């Protein structure tokens, strides 16, 4: 009998539902929230209210596009955390209610596991997926981690940020430049037009495989402050060069630790995931690094870099095969590591 999983993702400001059957993606629907743009960041209360409005039509659309009746579902996978508690509560509660109504089990998914396993989302049976073990560079607004992936259910963090994440550095630096939220895509766009060697920003000297981006952020802010004193229009005149130099520095920090991790672990397959893996510079740099070192690179489709239910559904599918189900008294959690 076919195994059909409905995935629900509501960890932040995107409401998403996806359907996977026997490991193949049938639909992936995402409703984004533009309400946060005027505030320069996600407002948790507004996010949870929007999830309440969106979750029923989004799930309905995912089932219809997949051509699946709700009574054909084998299980419902949902993001339990980490994320915004109010947002997570909407998805968790909906998954539990639908599970009870349909009398099918629920499967909890760690949001970060979903990003790691997003490379196993297949639209066609012959789509390539990573072979175990492999190394994942997980980079998003809240996380910068190096994860050793030995199996679907065997992951180990071997390096992580000790302060800010790469995505946070992108967004906060973009904000002080006056760019709209989210700032990362705007930095990426401007960087293509600028000189990455124009400005020099601080790089951390953190031992081991851990990351740090707070010093870079501070260095960026001081550069702006000192130059704006001389020229109030400094940012407007130098946006592209600032963006290119910032992006180049972040990429250099990311690749330095990635290279150390590859040498320490001896892995021959590297994957990236998370929202920052949509960045053109990051994607190109990782692909070039892997090509130069004879390593297989898995760069996700951009649709699977941001928060999406397809990655939750595939993670839930693997847990379903192992009969790892969730209790109905499980509560969402805001923070946790892989």
């Amino acid at each position: 009998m076919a195994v059909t999983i409905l995935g629900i993702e509501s960890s932040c400001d995107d409401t998403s539902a996806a359907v996977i059957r026997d490991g193949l993606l049938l639909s992936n629907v995402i409703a984004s929230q533009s309400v946060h743009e005027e505030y320069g960041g996600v407002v948790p209360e507004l996010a949870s209210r929007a999830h309440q409005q969106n979750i029923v039509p989004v799930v309905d659309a995912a089932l219809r596009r997949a051509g699946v009746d709700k009574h054909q579902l084998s299980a419902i996978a949902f993001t339990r955390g980490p994320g915004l508690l109010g947002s997570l509560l909407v998805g968790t509660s909906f998954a539990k209610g639908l599970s009870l109504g349909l009398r099918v089990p629920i499967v909890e998914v760690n949001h970060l596991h979903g990003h790691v396993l997003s490379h196993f989302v297949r639209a066609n049976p012959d789509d390539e997926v990573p072979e175990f073990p492999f190394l994942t560079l997980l980079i998003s607004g809240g996380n910068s981690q190096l994860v050793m992936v030995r199996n679907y259910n065997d992951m180990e963090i071997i390096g992580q940020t000790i302060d800010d994440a790469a995505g946070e550095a992108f967004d906060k630096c973009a904000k002080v430049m006056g760019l709209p939220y989210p700032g990362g895509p705007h930095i990426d766009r401007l960087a293509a037009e600028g000189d990455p060697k124009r400005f020099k920003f601080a790089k951390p000297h953190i031992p081991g495989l851990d990351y740090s981006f707070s010093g870079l952020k501070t260095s960026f802010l001081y550069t702006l402050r000192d130059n704006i004193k001389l020229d109030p229009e400094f940012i407007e005149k130098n946006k592209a060069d600032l963006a290119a130099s910032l992006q180049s520095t972040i990429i250099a920090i990311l690749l330095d630790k990635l290279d150390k991790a590859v040498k320490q672990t001896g892995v021959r397959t590297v994957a990236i995931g998370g929202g920052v893996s949509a960045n053109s510079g990051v994607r190109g740099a990782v692909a070039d690094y892997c090509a130069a070192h004879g390593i297989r690179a898995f760069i996700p489709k951009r649709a699977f870099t941001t928060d999406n239910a397809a990655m939750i559904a595939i993670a839930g599918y693997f847990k379903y095969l192992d009969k790892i189900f969730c209790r109905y008294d499980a509560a969402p959690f805001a923070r946790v590591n892989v």
Side-chain angles (χ1 to χ4, degrees):
M1 177 181 287
V3 176
T4 306
I5 307 293
L6 169 66
I8 296 174
E9 155 62 22
S10 67
S11 64
C12 191
D13 61 336
D14 287 334
T15 312
S16 182
V19 178
I20 281 181
R21 174 169 285 165
D22 292 337
L24 295 179
L25 181 65
L26 302 183
S27 68
N28 187 35
V29 178
I30 302 174
S32 299
Q33 303 174 6
S34 60
V35 66
H36 307 284
E37 294 176 4
E38 61 180 295
Y39 298 99
V42 177
V43 181
E45 178 61 25
L46 295 179
S48 58
R49 290 181 184 180
H51 282 302
Q52 289 178 317
Q53 296 173 343
N54 292 336
I55 193 161
V56 171
V58 165
V59 169
D60 179 65
L63 291 171
R64 284 189 289 105
R65 293 183 189 181
V68 170
D69 183 271
K70 60 181 180 293
H71 296 288
Q72 296 176 292
L73 295 175
S74 306
I76 299 164
F78 68 97
T79 303
R80 186 180 173 192
L84 301 176
L85 278 178
S87 296
L88 290 166
L89 188 59
V90 175
T92 300
S93 300
F94 184 89
K96 290 178 180 179
L98 187 58
S99 166
L100 286 168
L102 298 176
R103 297 185 179 181
V104 297
I106 49 174
V107 180
E108 64 171 278
V109 174
N110 182 316
H111 178 80
L112 302 182
H113 286 188
H115 278 302
V116 172
L117 297 176
S118 63
H119 297 279
F120 293 89
V121 177
R122 295 176 297 150
N124 300 293
D126 56 351
D127 287 348
E128 283 192 305
V129 297
E131 294 182 0
F132 300 111
F134 64 92
L135 183 66
T136 293
L137 174 59
L138 179 57
I139 35 179
S140 66
N143 298 277
S144 292
Q145 299 177 338
L146 286 163
V147 184
M148 188 67 184
V149 187
R150 300 183 181 89
N151 210 319
Y152 306 114
N153 55 2
D154 185 2
M155 305 180 194
E156 178 189 2
I157 297 173
I158 59 175
Q160 62 185 326
T161 182
I162 61 174
D163 42 57
D164 296 337
E168 187 177 0
F170 271 125
D171 284 340
K172 289 188 175 179
C173 291
K175 186 173 182 178
V176 299
M177 287 174 62
L179 299 176
Y181 173 84
H186 296 284
I187 292 290
D188 191 16
R189 173 180 54 81
L190 287 167
E193 307 168 4
D195 178 4
K197 298 181 180 180
R198 171 77 187 285
F199 298 100
K200 300 293 182 183
F201 301 122
K203 294 180 181 178
H205 298 282
I206 307 298
L209 299 177
D210 287 338
Y211 285 108
S212 171
F213 291 96
S214 63
L216 165 63
K217 188 176 64 178
T218 302
S219 174
F220 186 87
L221 294 176
Y222 273 111
T223 297
L224 295 189
R225 185 198 66 176
D226 294 343
N227 283 280
I228 289 174
K229 286 181 179 178
L230 302 174
D231 182 3
E233 299 179 354
F234 172 79
I235 293 179
E236 190 60 36
K237 294 177 181 178
N238 297 278
K239 274 186 177 179
D241 290 344
L242 284 166
S245 299
L246 173 68
Q247 180 164 291
S248 175
T249 305
I250 290 177
I251 290 172
I253 295 170
L254 291 172
L255 286 188
D256 175 64
K257 299 292 185 172
L258 177 63
D259 179 59
K260 290 181 180 179
V262 167
K263 291 175 180 176
Q264 287 185 23
T265 61
V267 298
R268 305 310 299 166
T269 302
V270 166
I272 59 174
V276 179
S277 66
N279 179 279
S280 300
V282 171
R283 296 166 74 87
V286 171
D288 290 344
Y289 168 82
C290 290
H293 292 81
I295 296 171
R296 289 190 72 191
F298 282 85
I299 313 295
K301 295 179 180 178
R302 281 188 167 86
F304 301 138
T305 58
T306 55
D307 296 344
N308 67 92
M311 67 183 191
I312 303 304
I314 194 65
Y317 170 73
F318 293 132
K319 294 185 80 169
Y320 178 90
L321 296 181
D322 290 336
K323 293 181 169 46
I324 302 174
F325 303 131
C326 180
R327 291 167 54 94
Y328 285 107
D329 60 359
F333 52 83
R335 298 182 66 84
V336 74
N337 288 325
V338 169

